[in-house]
Amino acid sequence: MKGGARFLVATLDELDTIPIAHGLVWRPIRRRFDLRGFGVNAYTSEEVGGQVVEEHTEERYRHEELYVVVRGRATFTLDGEEVDAPAVTFVHLADPRVRRVATAQTPDATVLALGGRPGEAFRVSAWETIFAAIPATRAERWDEAIRLHEEALREDPGNATLLYNLACMEARGGRHLDALLHLQRAVELDPQTAAWAQRDSDFAAIAREQGFPPAPSSPPREEPLPPREPGDGPGWRAARLEELPERDGRVQVRAALGFGPVGVDAWLARAPGDEAIEEHDERDSGHEELYLVLSGRARFAIDGREVDAPAGTLVAVAPAATRSAVGVDPGTAILALGATPGEAFAPREREREA
C-alpha cells in the first residue's frame, strides 16, 4: 500500500478523473492506493448516454470481470442483449468472449470494475500506465509520459506493450534512438507489435530508419478460445444485491456469482450501531482489503482511529491493521474486496463451509 501506510481513505469524488473516449472517465483506485493484490477501478461518464464501460471483450487477456454499479443507473449491452442496472447491481462476465459495453443513464452513474485471470496472481496491466499517461500525451508533455512508462517498466521490464508504448512516446518526444531500441525489444518479446508499428503514426519520424522492424511475413496468430457449446449459457449474469443470498448480514457476492479472481463480500448494518465489519486483522491471510460504503454511513475503527465513512467512501487497509465498522445510518451496506499480493486468490475455509 502506498507509502507503507496501514490504511488510506478517499471518496469516489476525490479520485483523479481522466477522460478516455466516448464520454468514458477513468477514476483510478488501484493506483491511488497502490494495491497489489487485485485490480479495481471506477468509471463515470462525462454525460448521460456516454460510456461507463468501454466496448471490448477479454479474449486476449482471458480475464474474468465483475462490474458493480455503485450509484446512479447504467445500461449494459452484453453480446447484444441490454441489461438495466440500477445501483446496486452486480454484472459478472465469466466468459471472456462476451462483448460488453455500458452507458450512463443518470449523471451520477458510477461503475466499479474488478478483473483478472482466475487461478493466477494479479499483475498490473499495461493499459493502466497508458491511461495514466493520457493527460501528458494530449498536452505533448513527452518527458512526463516517458517517465510514467519507465516507472512501470522497472516493475515489469518484460512487458512488450509497455515497451511499445514507451517507444511511441519517445518517438513523439524526439528521442529517436531510444524509441528504435525499445521498439525492437518490444518486437522481440511480442512479434505482433511489428504489425502495430507499420500503421502507427507515432513512428512517422523513425519509420525509415535502419533497424525499424519490418512487417511480419505472416500475421501472428493467437490461440483462439474454443467456440461456445450448446447449453453453455450466455457467459454472464446480472443480479441486484437484494437478490443474492444473505446470512447474518453477510452477502457472499463472490461465491454466489462464481467470481474467481478476488474475494468480494457485502456487509449489511440495518440499524444504527449494528456491527458491519467485525474486529479483525489479515495477518494470517496477508490480504489487502478495500472497503467501499455503498449506502448509508459507516464508522470504521482502524488501529484505534475512527474514520467517518458516508456512502462513496473507500477505505484501503493493510493486512496488519486491526479494523472494524458499524453502521451509523439505517440501511448501511459495505462492499469488501480482498486478496493477497503475489498469490492467486483462493477462497477461505469458512467461505467453503458456509
Side-chain angles (χ1 to χ4, degrees):
M1 191 171 297
K2 187 162 287 185
R6 305 267 284 192
F7 73 95
L8 295 168
V9 180
T11 68
L12 290 169
D13 294 329
E14 291 170 343
L15 299 173
D16 292 338
T17 56
I18 299 179
I20 306 299
H22 306 294
L24 184 75
V25 177
W26 179 47
R27 292 176 177 256
I29 294 175
R30 191 218 65 80
R31 194 176 183 89
R32 170 71 176 248
F33 298 118
D34 194 27
L35 297 167
R36 297 291 168 160
F38 53 93
V40 56
N41 289 286
Y43 296 90
T44 55
S45 183
E46 294 176 309
E47 58 189 1
V48 172
Q51 291 183 356
V52 283
V53 175
E54 64 181 338
E55 184 173 355
H56 71 291
T57 75
E58 287 293 327
E59 290 182 272
R60 181 178 182 192
Y61 298 106
R62 283 17 180 206
H63 280 184
E64 181 180 355
E65 291 192 321
L66 177 66
Y67 296 101
V68 188
V69 181
V70 297
R71 63 187 180 191
R73 194 179 206 100
T75 296
F76 282 76
T77 304
L78 308 172
D79 277 348
E81 183 173 346
E82 286 196 356
V83 178
D84 179 43
V88 176
T89 299
F90 297 90
V91 180
H92 174 218
L93 292 106
D95 190 336
R97 294 166 293 195
V98 174
R99 181 158 293 278
R100 66 214 64 187
V101 66
T103 55
Q105 300 305 307
T106 58
D108 61 342
T110 305
V111 174
L112 198 73
L114 305 164
R117 282 196 183 189
E120 294 186 11
F122 169 73
R123 293 179 60 189
V124 178
S125 296
W127 68 259
E128 185 178 298
T129 297
I130 296 168
F131 276 19
I134 284 175
T137 59
R138 285 176 175 161
E140 298 189 359
R141 299 193 303 268
W142 303 118
D143 287 349
E144 181 182 340
I146 289 166
R147 175 182 57 77
L148 288 168
H149 285 77
E150 289 175 338
E151 289 173 354
L153 280 161
R154 280 195 284 273
E155 295 190 23
D156 193 1
N159 191 303
T161 303
L162 282 173
L163 283 161
Y164 179 90
N165 218 57
L166 172 60
C168 291
M169 303 298 100
E170 290 168 332
R172 295 290 302 276
R175 302 187 191 183
H176 294 168
L177 178 57
D178 289 340
L180 192 60
L181 293 173
H182 286 130
L183 178 58
Q184 290 170 345
R185 178 59 178 152
V187 172
E188 286 177 15
L189 292 166
D190 183 357
Q192 181 178 357
T193 57
W196 299 350
Q198 297 303 309
R199 54 183 184 270
D200 196 329
S201 62
D202 285 346
F203 295 124
I206 63 170
R208 297 183 182 277
E209 295 287 338
Q210 184 176 1
F212 189 83
S217 55
S218 59
R221 294 178 58 85
E222 292 185 1
E223 188 65 31
L225 288 167
R228 285 203 195 100
E229 296 293 334
D232 280 351
W236 58 267
R237 178 187 174 189
R240 298 287 309 278
L241 178 61
E242 60 266 26
E243 295 171 341
L244 299 177
E246 177 210 337
R247 181 177 179 181
D248 298 328
R250 180 188 185 190
V251 180
Q252 293 183 302
V253 176
R254 190 212 67 79
L257 296 176
F259 182 60
V262 184
V264 185
D265 283 335
W267 297 90
L268 311 177
R270 290 189 168 83
D274 282 358
E275 181 181 74
I277 308 295
E278 67 177 357
E279 186 174 86
H280 71 290
D281 61 51
E282 292 291 338
R283 294 174 190 270
D284 290 342
S285 69
H287 278 190
E288 289 179 328
E289 288 195 322
L290 178 71
Y291 300 98
L292 169 59
V293 181
L294 296 170
S295 61
R297 192 182 203 99
R299 183 172 62 251
F300 284 81
I302 307 172
D303 282 348
R305 295 177 58 185
E306 287 195 353
V307 176
D308 179 46
T313 301
L314 295 149
V315 182
V317 187
T322 301
R323 80 292 311 260
S324 63
V326 298
V328 175
D329 291 346
T332 294
I334 303 173
L335 189 69
L337 316 174
T340 303
E343 295 183 10
F345 175 78
R348 305 183 197 195
E349 192 65 34
R350 69 186 186 188
E351 182 179 311
R352 291 193 292 265
E353 292 172 352

